Amino acid sequence: MATFFGEVVVAPSRAGLDEEEEAREETPEDREIRREIEKKREIDVLWTWRSGGCAEEPLVCSRFIVAIGRNAAAFLSSFILDSVCWEVVGVVKLWNEWCRTSSTTNVLPTDSFCLFYRLISDPTVLLCQCSCYVAEDQQFQWLEKVFGSMQKKGLQVTILSTCPVADYKTQESTLTLVSPFLRALKTKEFQEQVCCPLLEQPNIVRDLPAA
Amino acid sequence: MFVPCDRGGGSAAPDFKGFTLLMPAVSVGNVGQLAIDLVISTLDMTKVGYFYTDCLVPMVGNNPYATAEENSTELSINAEVYSLPSEKLVVLQIRSPFIKNKYRPFCETLLSWVKSSKCARVVLLSSSHAYQRDDEQLLGTPLRYLLTPDLEKAVGGRMKELNWKEMERVAAYPGISDTDKILHIPGGGITKLLFTESCSEGIQMAVLLKFCSEGDNIPDAFVLVNYLNEWLQLIKSEVNSSSQWKIPSSWRLLFGNGLPPALF
């Protein structure tokens, strides 16, 4: 779809449904295929601090920092993580059309991975580096499985993510903006000082950070 | 599915018994959703809760109906419920598309919520591809309505007084004259599914839709919301004009940012 000045804006099917998808009834074979694909796209969250077979007590967590995307994950690797203060406590295993992660915790920076670390001096501080892409249909699952393992009372969650400057909606042109720059979204329960301006309308956040 | 907002003071969950539920279908041009934005913004409706669902693509932003610095920092997500008890109106706004294969579970959960919250009727705002109209539909009004049998008994007469046009049924196999007529709403998203399910479950539902194409759909939204207003009289106006409706602040910059000065 072209805008007033010929700049092309991607406008994916807003009807939200494929015509074929709507018209066709699902046969038993279709159902079976769909179930197989769903099983293949299931997410496994493996916590290394839990030995198999013991009761699934929730992880006590006071602060949870999640870095989503390669840039945010690299930020944590460069400035926060080290092998002295942090230990790996979990990994997410998933597959989708864009990437596959494995259950190994020994990863290279160029791999797609999703690892959880715990601060050795304060084991209630948890950190997640998620450099892999979590697809739309997996985001809710990721959320439920990760947060489902935690005791959420008094939990403070910080999400770090990046977006292209070209996606930022502003009255001026993005060409004249000084980038990179920070913006934040916060729930009303978050009472502390935020270190940067809040995200202005009509900008939005989508995908896993939004979930 | 429905999670009420915590308004503090231990207030009970909102009661929607006997209310009219107004909601959009995610459809061509997003016209239903734009029209709902106009309703929420103009009537200054209060958010009373949201849907916790895995059926819609996640998104979050700051309050799209912000009018000042003070009210601009409330978070807003993909499926939220607003209410205006004085008009017995509850509005659902949907802000993102369905995840593949999830539209059916969403429809089922939605209709069961409608029944459990005892809403009197549902009004669905939608749209359909203008290019799929037949020769007769090309002439005259681009607006159509549909009523489930239960609602037909209650308000069918009012539609006739308003001189509204019912959505035509088309031949199941075009070109072959001797076939059953079916309902076909191309580009209407979940409209047809919700309507047919409501018919079979005895839910009172009205569908109001406009034929349109993708592009600048703001004028289409105004036409649709004025159409709705002819019936529900949400705002009192002698002449249905666009200036009666308040455009929300989130409609800014729909077509891209400002231009780089270096262009000229």
Side-chain angles (χ1 to χ4, degrees):
Chain A
M1 190 183 98
T3 63
F4 293 127
F5 291 92
E7 143 212 358
V8 175
V9 171
V10 173
S13 167
R14 290 163 169 187
L17 279 186
D18 276 322
E19 294 299 324
E20 296 157 36
E21 192 183 314
E22 185 198 319
R24 222 183 37 200
E25 282 300 319
E26 209 178 37
T27 65
E29 288 89 14
D30 288 336
R31 210 168 297 138
E32 188 55 39
I33 294 172
R34 185 168 56 79
R35 252 185 244 133
E36 285 298 310
I37 295 178
E38 271 171 18
K39 220 173 12 181
K40 198 171 173 196
R41 296 176 75 91
E42 251 178 45
I43 290 184
D44 284 315
V45 181
L46 306 158
W47 297 104
T48 57
W49 57 276
R50 272 186 192 157
S51 51
C54 79
E56 304 265 317
E57 337 89 47
L59 179 60
V60 176
C61 188
S62 63
R63 276 179 181 261
F64 184 31
I65 300 161
V66 190
I68 301 173
R70 288 199 183 276
N71 291 326
F75 168 79
L76 286 188
S77 292
S78 314
F79 294 100
I80 312 285
L81 284 171
D82 61 56
S83 50
V84 175
C85 304
W86 297 87
E87 55 173 355
V88 177
V89 290
V91 63
V92 171
K93 193 165 152 216
L94 63 85
W95 172 88
N96 56 52
E97 295 79 358
W98 293 270
C99 68
R100 173 198 298 278
T101 68
S102 65
S103 45
T104 175
T105 56
N106 203 7
V107 294
L108 295 172
T110 47
D111 290 340
S112 283
F113 56 86
C114 184
L115 292 172
F116 297 89
Y117 300 84
R118 183 163 64 179
L119 187 62
I120 295 173
S121 57
D122 180 358
T124 66
V125 176
L126 214 67
L127 203 141
C128 172
Q129 260 187 327
C130 187
S131 73
C132 64
Y133 176 65
V134 180
E136 268 172 18
D137 57 309
Q138 295 172 317
Q139 286 158 13
F140 194 83
Q141 231 194 100
W142 189 99
L143 205 65
E144 296 265 288
K145 290 192 175 171
V146 169
F147 281 87
S149 321
M150 290 181 197
Q151 181 212 280
K152 293 182 270 290
K153 207 172 157 111
L155 173 63
Q156 188 189 84
V157 182
T158 306
I159 302 162
L160 305 173
S161 174
T162 53
C163 293
V165 174
D167 284 350
Y168 182 65
K169 299 250 190 316
T170 172
Q171 198 57 46
E172 317 118 45
S173 157
T174 47
L175 229 65
T176 51
L177 275 180
V178 176
S179 72
F181 56 90
L182 291 176
R183 286 295 184 272
L185 283 173
K186 65 173 197 69
T187 61
K188 59 180 186 291
E189 284 80 8
F190 185 83
Q191 300 294 341
E192 289 171 34
Q193 186 82 336
V194 182
C195 58
C196 63
L198 293 180
L199 187 64
E200 305 89 344
Q201 289 81 347
N203 292 287
I204 58 166
V205 173
R206 61 190 97 208
D207 291 330
L208 192 60
Chain B
M1 191 193 207
F2 173 70
V3 179
C5 277
D6 178 22
R7 292 275 151 200
S11 52
D15 180 18
F16 301 132
K17 187 168 175 185
F19 277 40
T20 297
L21 170 65
L22 181 62
M23 61 171 284
V26 180
S27 56
V28 57
N30 302 99
V31 178
Q33 295 159 285
L34 291 171
I36 294 285
D37 260 355
L38 287 172
V39 171
I40 296 173
S41 173
T42 309
L43 299 180
D44 199 20
M45 295 180 80
T46 316
K47 188 179 345 182
V48 294
Y50 61 89
F51 278 10
Y52 183 65
T53 172
D54 62 340
C55 301
L56 295 165
V57 174
M59 56 86 28
V60 64
N62 275 323
N63 183 8
Y65 310 112
T67 48
E69 183 98 29
E70 297 81 51
N71 60 23
S72 68
T73 59
E74 195 183 330
L75 285 187
S76 202
I77 60 165
N78 55 12
E80 295 187 314
V81 180
Y82 299 77
S83 120
L84 191 62
S86 56
E87 297 286 322
K88 293 194 97 161
L89 183 67
V90 56
V91 175
L92 166 67
Q93 176 61 302
I94 300 176
R95 300 194 173 96
S96 60
F98 288 102
I99 290 174
K100 200 169 167 60
N101 293 323
K102 289 286 192 180
Y103 67 95
R104 268 183 206 281
F106 182 82
C107 290
E108 282 162 17
T109 322
L110 175 72
L111 290 180
S112 94
W113 176 71
V114 166
K115 286 198 280 200
S116 66
S117 52
K118 299 191 171 49
C119 290
R121 60 192 180 179
V122 181
V123 179
L124 181 68
L125 300 185
S126 181
S127 53
S128 185
H129 285 308
Y131 68 81
Q132 293 243 14
R133 290 175 292 177
D134 61 28
D135 293 346
E136 284 175 32
Q137 289 171 322
L138 282 172
L139 308 167
T141 174
L143 296 160
R144 294 289 186 277
Y145 77 93
L146 279 168
L147 297 173
T148 55
D150 294 277
L151 194 53
E152 172 80 50
K153 293 186 199 111
V155 304
R158 181 83 187 112
M159 299 332 186
K160 299 233 166 9
E161 277 170 40
L162 290 168
N163 214 13
W164 277 11
K165 216 161 172 195
E166 194 174 357
M167 182 70 172
E168 303 89 337
R169 287 175 199 242
V170 296
Y173 301 101
I176 304 172
S177 54
D178 192 25
T179 57
D180 291 329
K181 297 271 189 185
I182 56 160
L183 194 57
H184 185 48
I185 310 176
I190 55 172
T191 306
K192 182 177 164 183
L193 179 62
L194 273 181
F195 182 73
T196 47
E197 288 296 299
S198 298
C199 286
S200 55
E201 297 199 28
I203 293 177
Q204 296 199 3
M205 176 180 282
V207 174
L208 270 54
L209 68 84
K210 182 180 191 295
F211 289 117
C212 69
S213 304
E214 295 279 357
D216 179 359
N217 299 106
I218 292 174
D220 297 310
F222 277 106
V223 169
L224 188 60
V225 81
N226 282 326
Y227 188 53
L228 172 73
N229 201 47
E230 277 177 41
W231 172 31
L232 290 188
Q233 292 291 299
L234 295 172
I235 60 172
K236 311 280 177 276
S237 60
E238 289 304 317
V239 176
N240 271 331
S241 74
S242 305
S243 57
Q244 307 284 347
W245 303 98
K246 188 165 97 178
I247 291 184
S249 54
S250 55
W251 283 22
R252 287 173 56 235
L253 306 172
L254 275 175
F255 294 100
N257 292 340
L259 301 168
L263 197 63
F264 303 107

